[in-house]
Amino acid sequence: MTPSTVLPAIIAVTGLIASCSGSRGQTNDNIIATARRDADRVAQAPETSMQREHAVLAIRVREHALRSNGYTHEADLYYTTARSILVDSLHIIEDRTTVNEY
């Protein structure tokens, strides 16, 4: 992830949270929709491509930006939603003893 891609990701997170000035349920719906969209980008990119790597890093940047701006619940929801979609869509088999959960 280059500095030129980090700033847009932070702006997107800020916009995501700002657009959710309504209820917590509305915020959760927006977080889940964003996580699904971002996970789909990973799943649709060629397996060993830089495009896929960039999409995975973008998920981590968005999660980190949420968390570091005090949106822990939203970061957890975003990460777990994106992760579960990727595990299912990419047929990843995990060793549950080594998974670091938030």
Side-chain angles (χ1 to χ4, degrees), residues 94-100:
E94 301 178 272
D95 178 1
R96 298 266 181 210
T97 61
T98 61
V99 174
N100 182 14

Side-chain angles (χ1 to χ4, degrees), residues 33-64:
T34 301
R36 285 183 177 147
R37 183 197 66 218
D38 293 348
D40 285 344
R41 286 183 182 151
V42 173
Q44 292 172 6
E47 189 172 333
T48 59
S49 69
M50 291 298 289
Q51 182 182 5
R52 179 174 278 185
E53 185 175 333
H54 182 269
V56 169
L57 289 174
I59 288 173
R60 296 307 300 211
V61 166
R62 189 179 307 268
E63 179 222 353
H64 176 73

Side-chain angles (χ1 to χ4, degrees), residues 1 7 18 23-25 27 32 45-46 53 56 70-71 74 87 90 97:
M1 180 89 32
L7 183 58
S23 69
R24 180 105 173 177
T27 300
I32 290 168
E53 185 175 333
V56 169
Y71 296 102
E74 290 81 359
V87 166
L90 299 178
T97 61

